[in-house]
Coordinates of all heavy atoms in Angstrom, one line a residue:
Chain A
H62 N 117.6 88.2 77.4 CA 116.3 87.9 76.9 C 116.0 88.8 75.8 O 116.1 90.1 76.0 CB 115.2 87.8 77.9 CG 115.5 86.9 79.0 ND1 114.7 85.6 79.1 CD2 116.4 86.9 80.1 CE1 115.2 85.0 80.2 NE2 116.1 85.8 80.8
L64 N 112.2 90.1 74.1 CA 110.8 90.0 74.3 C 110.2 90.9 73.2 O 110.7 91.9 72.8 CB 110.4 90.5 75.7 CG 111.2 90.0 76.9 CD1 110.9 90.7 78.2 CD2 110.9 88.5 77.1
Q66 N 106.5 92.8 72.4 CA 105.2 93.3 73.1 C 104.4 94.0 72.0 O 104.7 95.0 71.4 CB 105.4 94.2 74.2 CG 104.2 94.5 75.0 CD 104.5 95.4 76.4 OE1 105.5 96.1 76.3 NE2 103.6 95.2 77.3
G70 N 99.6 95.1 75.2 CA 100.3 94.6 76.4 C 100.9 93.3 76.4 O 101.9 93.0 77.1
I72 N 103.1 90.1 76.2 CA 104.6 89.9 75.9 C 104.8 88.5 75.6 O 104.3 87.5 76.2 CB 105.3 90.4 77.2 CG1 105.2 91.8 77.3 CG2 106.7 89.9 77.0 CD1 106.0 92.3 78.4
S74 N 108.1 85.8 75.0 CA 109.5 85.7 75.0 C 110.0 85.1 73.7 O 109.5 84.1 73.3 CB 109.9 84.8 76.1 OG 111.3 84.5 76.2
M77 N 116.2 83.5 74.6 CA 117.0 83.5 75.8 C 118.4 83.1 75.5 O 118.4 81.9 74.9 CB 116.4 82.7 77.1 CG 117.2 83.0 78.3 SD 116.5 82.0 79.7 CE 116.6 80.3 79.1
I115 N 111.9 94.4 73.4 CA 112.6 94.7 74.7 C 113.7 93.7 74.9 O 113.5 92.5 74.9 CB 111.5 94.7 75.8 CG1 110.3 95.6 75.6 CG2 112.3 94.9 77.2 CD1 109.2 95.4 76.4
R119 N 120.0 89.4 82.5 CA 120.0 88.7 84.0 C 121.5 88.7 84.4 O 122.3 88.1 83.8 CB 119.4 87.4 83.9 CG 119.2 86.6 85.2 CD 118.6 85.3 85.1 NE 119.4 84.3 84.6 CZ 119.2 83.4 83.6 NH1 118.0 83.8 83.0 NH2 119.9 82.7 83.2
G123 N 123.8 83.7 90.2 CA 123.1 82.5 89.8 C 122.2 82.1 91.0 O 122.0 82.8 92.0
G124 N 121.3 81.0 90.7 CA 120.4 80.6 91.7 C 119.3 81.6 92.0 O 118.8 82.2 91.1
S125 N 119.1 82.0 93.2 CA 118.1 83.1 93.6 C 118.8 84.4 93.6 O 118.1 85.4 93.8 CB 117.4 82.7 94.9 OG 118.4 82.7 95.9
Y127 N 119.9 86.9 91.6 CA 120.0 87.5 90.2 C 119.2 88.7 90.2 O 118.4 89.0 91.0 CB 119.5 86.5 89.2 CG 118.0 86.2 89.3 CD1 117.1 87.0 88.6 CD2 117.5 85.1 90.0 CE1 115.8 86.7 88.6 CE2 116.2 84.9 90.1 CZ 115.2 85.8 89.3 OH 113.9 85.5 89.5
K128 N 119.6 89.6 89.3 CA 118.8 90.8 88.9 C 118.3 90.8 87.5 O 119.2 90.5 86.7 CB 119.7 91.9 89.3 CG 119.2 93.3 89.1 CD 120.3 94.4 89.4 CE 119.8 95.8 89.0 NZ 120.9 96.8 89.3
L129 N 117.3 91.2 87.3 CA 116.8 91.5 86.0 C 116.6 92.9 85.6 O 116.0 93.6 86.3 CB 115.4 90.8 85.7 CG 115.3 89.3 85.4 CD1 113.9 88.8 85.4 CD2 116.0 89.1 84.0
F131 N 115.8 95.7 82.3 CA 115.1 95.8 81.2 C 115.6 97.0 80.3 O 115.8 98.1 81.0 CB 113.6 95.8 81.3 CG 113.1 94.6 81.9 CD1 113.0 94.3 83.1 CD2 112.7 93.6 81.0 CE1 112.4 93.2 83.6 CE2 112.0 92.4 81.5 CZ 111.9 92.3 82.8
K133 N 114.6 100.0 77.5 CA 113.3 100.9 77.4 C 112.5 100.3 76.2 O 111.4 100.8 76.1 CB 113.7 102.3 77.2 CG 114.4 102.9 78.3 CD 113.5 102.9 79.7 CE 114.1 103.8 80.8 NZ 113.4 103.7 82.0
Chain B
Y37 N 106.1 91.7 87.4 CA 106.6 92.9 86.8 C 105.7 94.0 86.8 O 104.5 93.8 86.6 CB 107.1 92.5 85.3 CG 108.1 91.3 85.2 CD1 107.6 90.1 85.0 CD2 109.3 91.5 85.3 CE1 108.3 89.0 84.9 CE2 110.3 90.4 85.1 CZ 109.7 89.2 84.9 OH 110.5 88.0 84.8
Q39 N 105.1 97.6 84.6 CA 105.3 98.3 83.4 C 104.7 99.7 83.6 O 103.4 99.7 83.5 CB 105.0 97.5 82.2 CG 105.5 98.2 80.9 CD 105.3 97.5 79.6 OE1 104.1 96.8 79.5 NE2 106.2 97.4 78.7
G42 N 107.0 105.5 82.1 CA 108.3 106.3 82.4 C 109.4 105.4 82.7 O 110.6 105.5 82.2
Q43 N 109.1 104.3 83.5 CA 110.1 103.4 83.9 C 110.4 102.2 83.0 O 111.4 101.4 83.2 CB 109.9 103.0 85.5 CG 110.0 104.1 86.3 CD 111.3 104.9 86.4 OE1 112.3 104.1 86.3 NE2 111.3 106.2 86.6
L45 N 109.6 98.4 81.9 CA 109.5 97.1 82.8 C 110.4 97.1 83.8 O 111.6 97.3 83.7 CB 109.6 95.8 81.7 CG 108.4 95.2 81.2 CD1 109.0 94.2 80.1 CD2 107.6 94.5 82.1
F47 N 111.3 94.5 87.4 CA 111.0 93.2 88.1 C 110.6 93.5 89.5 O 111.3 94.2 90.3 CB 112.4 92.4 87.9 CG 112.4 91.1 89.0 CD1 111.6 90.1 88.7 CD2 113.3 91.1 90.0 CE1 111.7 89.0 89.4 CE2 113.2 90.0 90.8 CZ 112.5 88.9 90.5
E50 N 110.0 87.1 92.5 CA 109.7 85.8 91.9 C 109.5 84.9 93.1 O 110.0 84.9 94.1 CB 111.1 85.3 91.2 CG 110.8 83.9 90.6 CD 112.1 83.1 90.4 OE1 113.2 83.6 90.6 OE2 111.9 81.9 90.0
R57 N 111.7 83.9 96.0 CA 113.1 83.6 95.8 C 114.0 84.8 95.4 O 115.3 84.8 95.6 CB 113.3 82.6 94.7 CG 114.5 82.0 94.4 CD 114.4 80.5 93.8 NE 114.0 80.7 92.4 CZ 114.0 79.6 91.5 NH1 114.5 78.5 92.0 NH2 113.7 79.8 90.3
N58 N 113.3 85.8 95.0 CA 114.1 87.1 94.5 C 113.2 88.2 94.6 O 111.9 88.0 94.4 CB 114.8 86.8 93.2 CG 115.9 87.8 92.9 OD1 116.2 88.6 93.7 ND2 116.5 87.6 91.8
L90 N 100.8 98.7 84.3 CA 100.4 97.3 83.9 C 101.2 96.4 84.7 O 102.4 96.5 84.6 CB 100.8 97.1 82.3 CG 100.3 95.7 81.7 CD1 98.8 95.6 81.7 CD2 100.9 95.8 80.3
L92 N 102.2 92.6 85.1 CA 102.4 91.4 84.4 C 103.0 90.3 85.2 O 103.8 90.5 86.1 CB 103.4 91.5 83.2 CG 102.9 92.5 82.0 CD1 104.0 93.3 81.5 CD2 102.1 91.8 81.1
A100 N 113.9 82.1 86.4 CA 114.3 83.0 85.3 C 115.4 82.5 84.3 O 115.6 83.0 83.3 CB 114.9 84.3 85.9
H101 N 115.9 81.3 84.8 CA 116.9 80.5 84.0 C 116.2 79.9 82.7 O 116.9 79.3 81.9 CB 117.7 79.7 84.7 CG 118.4 80.3 85.9 ND1 119.6 81.0 85.7 CD2 118.1 80.4 87.1 CE1 119.9 81.5 86.9 NE2 119.0 81.3 87.8
Y102 N 114.9 79.9 82.8 CA 114.1 79.1 81.8 C 113.2 80.1 81.1 O 113.0 81.2 81.6 CB 113.1 78.1 82.5 CG 114.0 76.9 83.2 CD1 114.6 77.0 84.4 CD2 114.1 75.7 82.6 CE1 115.2 76.0 85.0 CE2 114.8 74.6 83.1 CZ 115.3 74.9 84.3 OH 116.0 73.8 85.0
E103 N 112.7 79.7 80.0 CA 111.9 80.5 79.2 C 110.6 80.9 80.0 O 110.0 80.0 80.6 CB 111.4 79.9 77.9 CG 110.6 80.7 77.0 CD 110.2 80.1 75.7 OE1 110.6 79.0 75.5 OE2 109.6 80.8 74.8
Q104 N 110.2 82.2 80.0 CA 109.2 82.7 80.6 C 108.0 82.8 79.7 O 108.2 83.4 78.7 CB 109.5 84.0 81.4 CG 110.6 83.8 82.4 CD 110.6 84.9 83.4 OE1 109.5 85.3 84.1 NE2 111.8 85.5 83.5
F106 N 104.4 85.0 79.6 CA 103.8 86.0 80.2 C 102.2 85.9 80.2 O 101.7 85.5 79.0 CB 104.2 87.3 79.4 CG 105.6 87.8 79.9 CD1 106.7 87.1 79.2 CD2 105.8 88.7 80.8 CE1 107.9 87.5 79.6 CE2 107.0 89.0 81.3 CZ 108.2 88.4 80.6

Side-chain angles (χ1 to χ4, degrees):
Chain A
H62 301 255
L64 309 173
Q66 186 172 31
I72 291 181
S74 176
M77 182 177 67
I115 301 168
R119 188 175 74 236
S125 61
Y127 67 87
K128 179 182 174 185
L129 272 174
F131 296 85
K133 296 293 188 189
Chain B
Y37 303 89
Q39 187 177 37
Q43 298 296 321
L45 266 169
F47 171 69
E50 182 205 352
R57 190 154 74 169
N58 202 354
L90 180 66
L92 294 147
H101 307 275
Y102 294 79
E103 183 174 4
Q104 296 199 56
F106 285 80

